[in-house]
Amino acid sequence: MFDVRQVGKTLVNRTQGLRNANDSLQGRVVEMSLGDLSKDESRAFRKIQLKVDEIQGKNCLTNFYRMDMTTDKLRSMVKKWQTLIEAFVDVKTTDGYLVRLFAISFTARRRNQIKKTTYAQSSQIRQIRKKMFDIMTEEAAACDLKELVAKVTSSASQSAQDAIAVRIEKACQGIYPLQNTYVRKVKILKAPKFDVSALLALHGGAAAAGEDVGSKAAKDFVEPPILASV
């Protein structure tokens, strides 16, 4: 799902009596920057939360839990003389996750515009919001959680916009020019029944999860003959 596999260490009390260390780690949520996970500092304004779903030895296998945007990035985009447009929609992915996507966008100046303000009319805002609903629903309903995370964390433009946001901007050009469009937040409302094999497949199988799978047996192996006497 992300370029960096080992993201850090977490502390836990040792197993003592009836209290198991694995129970304390199970369900723990860790937060980190997308810049650290993808080795791309231009995407450091996104915060990724990962939930520990399985413990294997000293490795905690995590799955995507939530995505948000840093406060400083949000505040830097809000300016005077423009309209802020937000929308959110609940979508079910192909692998059974119910997710809520939040989109944010701002009106931009037209080419050769003399007027100081770039306020959109309420009818235009409704049209843009409907486009946001339709595009987010279409993009999320046609893929699983892994593909959806790749879409909302991708860098599809110079300003590190995600692929869904770039598509929203293009679709709304005929209604009103937009700028600083992002899918700012993703929340998992409901997850399907936990499947260990699906989580291991997400982490690249048992070998990537830290299991000792042994060496591969040679194909030209010949069984030695039976000895007459020992």
Side-chain angles (χ1 to χ4, degrees):
M1 195 178 283
F2 299 106
D3 296 337
V4 179
R5 302 298 301 275
Q6 299 287 339
V7 291
K9 295 182 180 181
T10 183
L11 298 172
V12 66
N13 291 331
R14 288 178 182 170
T15 301
Q16 192 171 14
L18 297 173
R19 186 176 292 173
N20 194 345
N22 287 3
D23 296 338
S24 302
L25 289 168
Q26 203 90 24
R28 189 174 286 190
V29 176
V30 294
E31 183 179 283
M32 54 212 56
S33 165
L34 181 60
D36 295 333
L37 288 170
S38 62
K39 297 180 182 177
D40 183 5
E41 285 303 313
S42 66
R43 290 187 275 172
F45 61 87
R46 292 195 189 276
K47 296 183 291 184
I48 304 292
Q49 289 187 356
L50 303 170
K51 185 179 179 182
V52 176
D53 280 343
E54 180 69 16
I55 316 295
Q56 292 202 341
K58 289 192 174 182
N59 293 322
C60 297
L61 304 187
T62 59
N63 199 1
F64 178 80
Y65 183 68
R66 187 171 173 163
M67 186 198 78
D68 209 341
M69 199 178 271
T70 55
T71 309
D72 62 304
K73 176 67 175 178
L74 279 171
R75 301 291 179 272
S76 69
M77 294 190 295
V78 179
K79 298 184 182 74
K80 291 194 291 184
W81 322 122
Q82 63 183 9
T83 304
L84 184 154
I85 303 163
E86 283 188 298
F88 72 89
V89 65
D90 296 350
V91 195
K92 197 165 192 176
T93 60
T94 54
D95 52 351
Y97 285 89
L98 182 66
V99 295
R100 181 171 288 167
L101 301 170
F102 295 79
I104 190 169
S105 188
F106 300 86
T107 52
R109 295 177 69 86
R110 297 180 191 274
R111 191 176 294 174
N112 302 324
Q113 181 176 326
I114 299 170
K115 191 178 177 183
K116 182 182 179 181
T117 61
T118 57
Y119 296 135
Q121 295 176 354
S122 57
S123 60
Q124 291 173 320
I125 293 170
R126 281 196 300 272
Q127 285 178 289
I128 290 169
R129 201 172 278 129
K130 188 178 185 303
K131 288 275 187 191
M132 286 178 169
F133 289 148
D134 295 342
I135 291 171
M136 285 194 293
T137 304
E138 184 186 329
E139 290 281 354
C143 62
D144 58 13
L145 184 69
K146 184 180 178 181
E147 291 169 355
L148 179 63
V149 172
K151 283 180 182 179
V152 298
T153 58
S154 61
S155 182
S157 69
Q158 289 182 344
S159 55
Q161 285 176 299
D162 51 274
I164 298 174
V166 170
R167 194 180 159 195
I168 289 170
E169 263 192 20
K170 286 181 180 176
C172 295
Q173 283 299 316
I175 304 167
Y176 206 101
L178 297 178
Q179 63 178 349
N180 294 331
T181 308
Y182 294 95
V183 174
R184 69 172 183 88
K185 189 191 286 187
V186 179
K187 289 164 70 174
I188 293 180
L189 302 179
K190 196 174 181 182
K193 192 176 179 182
F194 178 63
D195 184 8
V196 181
S197 58
L199 184 68
L200 285 173
L202 186 70
H203 282 267
E211 286 186 11
D212 183 13
V213 294
S215 58
K216 193 175 180 182
K219 286 184 179 179
D220 55 349
F221 174 74
V222 179
E223 195 171 327
I226 300 169
L227 299 174
S229 60
V230 179

